[in-house]
């Protein structure tokens, strides 16, 4: 089979699309004939090399994908050959204290397909059956591939961890990215007043289309000052910040008293200076969130499958052009997700 892969960490030129040995599914595993994969910024970080991340090389990236079950291993009874499925990338051990109490995202052995172990950007992928979700017939492969990681992340971050309620106000930073555009939709669904930032008028227009009530061009305006001005100096109840060091100080400044920041990542760096005096004096909460539980995944993907939520696709490319897909993410080109399909699908 052919797969996207790299044998060393580095820039985009380390990405190859070539032959890779096919795997047989083991106990509890399923082999999927992939029809589409989707990228996340996680793929860029994994390619560059994350501190403490020790991968078996060559590594196949990709945490998002969808396809058809081709074979099942022993002990698998949820799926059979021909089933349409999508990948939910968070893997837990099922046996530690956190898993036993129903919090698998806190698992001491938690890892993510495509980051810590081999991913799914290939013609075929073997994954645990527990990490597959059924995809209805009416859902296209690009939507099925693009939705799981970002929508489950946004759902848990805003509704479970952040406890966002109708009537509250929320600021979503980087609304044109994968998690950002999902967070705008989840916040709107929850009945919140949604503020969103992006870097171009085109991206802001898209953000408005999917649920943002107010938009701010952060390249032209100080978003913290804008939030203060537009809320009568009150601030917002919640900030969704997955940007990190570049925005952290202004995110804290944007919060109302008693407000909270929810974060699932730090694309510009994870060691920002912070405002401890503002945090304690205004009684702010800082809340971390990672991925989602299986029940949360089912809840949010049900709303994707029925059309309530829409994964926006900014580009669809052959897997042999994955380096170009990485460029689109790194240079922040477009709005929404980038999808890659196995090259052989273009030959039929």
């Amino acid at each position: 089979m052919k797969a996207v892969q790299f044998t060393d960490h580095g820039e985009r030129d380390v990405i190859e699309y070539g032959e890779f040995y096919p795997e047989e599914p083991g106990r509890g595993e399923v082999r999927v004939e992939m029809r589409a994969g989707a990228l996340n910024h996680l793929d860029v970080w994994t390619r560059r090399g994350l501190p403490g991340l020790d991968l078996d090389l060559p590594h196949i990236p990709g945490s998002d994908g969808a396809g058809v079950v081709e074979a099942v291993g022993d002990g698998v009874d949820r799926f059979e050959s021909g089933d349409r499925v999508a990948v939910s990338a968070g893997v837990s051990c099922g046996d530690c204290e956190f898993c036993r109490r129903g919090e698998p995202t806190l698992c001491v052995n938690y890892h993510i397909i495509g980051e810590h172990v081999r991913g799914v950007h290939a013609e075929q992928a073997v994954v645990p059956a527990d990490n597959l979700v059924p995809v209805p017939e009416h859902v296209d492969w690009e939507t099925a591939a693009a939705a799981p990681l970002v929508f489950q992340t946004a759902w848990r971050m805003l509704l479970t961890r952040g406890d966002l309620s109708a009537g509250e106000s929320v600021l979503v930073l980087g609304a044109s990215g994968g998690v950002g555009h999902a967070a705008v939709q989840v916040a709107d669904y929850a009945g919140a007043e949604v503020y969103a930032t992006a870097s171009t008028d085109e991206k802001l227009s898209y953000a408005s289309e999917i649920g943002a009530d107010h938009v701010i061009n952060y390249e032209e305006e100080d978003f913290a000052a804008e939030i203060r001005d537009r809320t009568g100096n009150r601030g917002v109840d919640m900030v969704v910040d997955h940007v990190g060091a570049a925005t952290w100080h202004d995110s804290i400044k944007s919060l109302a008293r008693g407000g909270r920041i929810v974060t699932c990542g730090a694309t510009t760096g994870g060691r920002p200076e912070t405002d401890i005096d503002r945090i304690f004096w205004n009684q702010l909460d800082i809340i971390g969130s990672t991925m989602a539980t299986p029940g949360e995944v089912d809840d949010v993907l049900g709303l994707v499958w029925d059309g309530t939520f829409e994964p926006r696709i900014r580009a669809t490319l052959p897997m042999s052009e994955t380096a170009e897909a990485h460029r689109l993410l790194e240079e922040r080109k477009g709005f929404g997700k980038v999808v890659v399909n196995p090259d052989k699908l273009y030959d039929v």
Side-chain angles (χ1 to χ4, degrees), residues 45-200:
W45 304 328
T46 303
R47 185 203 79 217
R48 292 174 178 171
L50 289 165
L53 184 62
D54 185 17
L55 294 176
D56 289 331
L57 298 173
H59 179 71
I60 297 175
S63 303
D64 269 332
V68 178
V69 172
E70 194 270 334
V72 300
D74 292 342
V76 175
D77 54 16
R78 291 180 57 227
F79 299 103
E80 59 185 24
S81 180
D83 286 350
R84 292 164 52 92
V85 294
V87 176
S88 178
V91 182
S92 57
C93 72
D95 191 48
C96 70
E97 63 171 300
F98 302 104
C99 288
R100 290 196 299 271
R101 74 186 195 196
E103 285 289 355
T105 64
L106 294 174
C107 174
V108 296
N109 295 308
Y110 196 77
H111 59 278
I112 296 175
I113 293 169
E115 178 183 6
H116 306 96
V117 297
R118 194 163 291 154
V120 299
H121 288 174
E123 291 179 345
Q124 297 178 348
V126 172
V127 297
D130 288 345
N131 288 89
L132 296 176
V133 293
V135 176
E137 288 288 340
H138 71 274
V139 177
D140 65 80
W141 291 120
E142 285 74 20
T143 295
L149 191 146
V150 296
F151 276 92
Q152 68 174 281
T153 298
W155 184 267
R156 178 174 176 81
M157 184 167 48
L158 273 71
L159 301 188
T160 304
R161 298 287 292 144
D163 196 25
L164 184 65
S165 300
E168 290 192 299
S169 54
V170 57
L171 168 63
V172 178
L173 303 184
S176 65
V179 170
H181 94 295
V184 168
Q185 295 179 65
V186 171
D188 179 57
Y189 175 81
E193 183 177 10
V194 185
Y195 295 80
T197 71
S199 59
T200 69

Side-chain angles (χ1 to χ4, degrees), residues 16-324:
E16 301 175 0
Y17 185 64
E19 294 296 328
F20 202 90
Y21 58 88
E23 297 179 276
E24 293 297 322
R27 183 170 185 80
E29 294 181 329
V30 172
R31 186 169 66 219
V32 180
E33 189 79 17
M34 304 304 298
R35 299 296 174 83
L39 276 77
N40 300 281
H41 276 283
L42 179 60
D43 296 303
V44 173
W45 304 328
T46 303
R47 185 203 79 217
R48 292 174 178 171
L50 289 165
L53 184 62
D54 185 17
L55 294 176
D56 289 331
L57 298 173
H59 179 71
I60 297 175
S63 303
D64 269 332
V68 178
V69 172
E70 194 270 334
V72 300
D74 292 342
V76 175
D77 54 16
R78 291 180 57 227
F79 299 103
E80 59 185 24
S81 180
D83 286 350
R84 292 164 52 92
V85 294
V87 176
S88 178
V91 182
S92 57
C93 72
D95 191 48
C96 70
E97 63 171 300
F98 302 104
C99 288
R100 290 196 299 271
R101 74 186 195 196
E103 285 289 355
T105 64
L106 294 174
C107 174
V108 296
N109 295 308
Y110 196 77
H111 59 278
I112 296 175
I113 293 169
E115 178 183 6
H116 306 96
V117 297
R118 194 163 291 154
V120 299
H121 288 174
E123 291 179 345
Q124 297 178 348
V126 172
V127 297
D130 288 345
N131 288 89
L132 296 176
V133 293
V135 176
E137 288 288 340
H138 71 274
V139 177
D140 65 80
W141 291 120
E142 285 74 20
T143 295
L149 191 146
V150 296
F151 276 92
Q152 68 174 281
T153 298
W155 184 267
R156 178 174 176 81
M157 184 167 48
L158 273 71
L159 301 188
T160 304
R161 298 287 292 144
D163 196 25
L164 184 65
S165 300
E168 290 192 299
S169 54
V170 57
L171 168 63
V172 178
L173 303 184
S176 65
V179 170
H181 94 295
V184 168
Q185 295 179 65
V186 171
D188 179 57
Y189 175 81
E193 183 177 10
V194 185
Y195 295 80
T197 71
S199 59
T200 69
D201 290 341
E202 180 182 17
K203 292 177 180 179
L204 293 173
S205 177
Y206 277 127
S208 296
E209 287 181 20
I210 61 173
D213 301 295
H214 315 275
V215 293
I216 300 169
N217 187 325
Y218 67 78
E219 293 284 3
E220 299 177 356
E221 300 168 308
D222 178 331
F223 74 80
E226 283 295 309
I227 289 294
R228 287 288 168 184
D229 181 61
R230 299 187 193 191
T231 62
N233 206 39
R234 176 187 183 273
V236 293
D237 298 300
M238 176 187 290
V239 174
V240 178
D241 187 335
H242 51 91
V243 180
T247 55
W248 192 254
H249 177 73
D250 284 337
S251 290
I252 291 175
K253 286 175 62 177
S254 299
L255 285 171
R257 289 176 176 269
R260 65 264 196 211
I261 291 179
V262 288
T263 179
C264 65
T267 58
T268 61
R271 301 290 186 273
E273 292 187 6
T274 197
D275 304 78
I276 294 176
D277 51 351
R278 188 185 293 267
I279 291 170
F280 72 73
W281 189 252
N282 288 345
Q283 301 185 54
L284 307 179
D285 292 324
I286 297 174
I287 302 168
S289 188
T290 298
M291 303 294 281
T293 66
E296 291 163 341
V297 172
D298 290 341
D299 288 344
V300 71
L301 289 185
L303 293 168
V304 175
W305 305 154
D306 74 10
T308 301
F309 296 147
E310 176 192 357
R312 286 290 179 102
I313 310 296
R314 70 176 81 173
T316 302
L317 301 168
M319 283 187 178
S320 59
E321 297 180 21
T322 295
E324 171 66 9

Side-chain angles (χ1 to χ4, degrees), residues 8-23:
D8 198 4
H9 297 291
E11 297 305 313
R12 294 189 295 270
D13 58 3
V14 303
I15 300 171
E16 301 175 0
Y17 185 64
E19 294 296 328
F20 202 90
Y21 58 88
E23 297 179 276

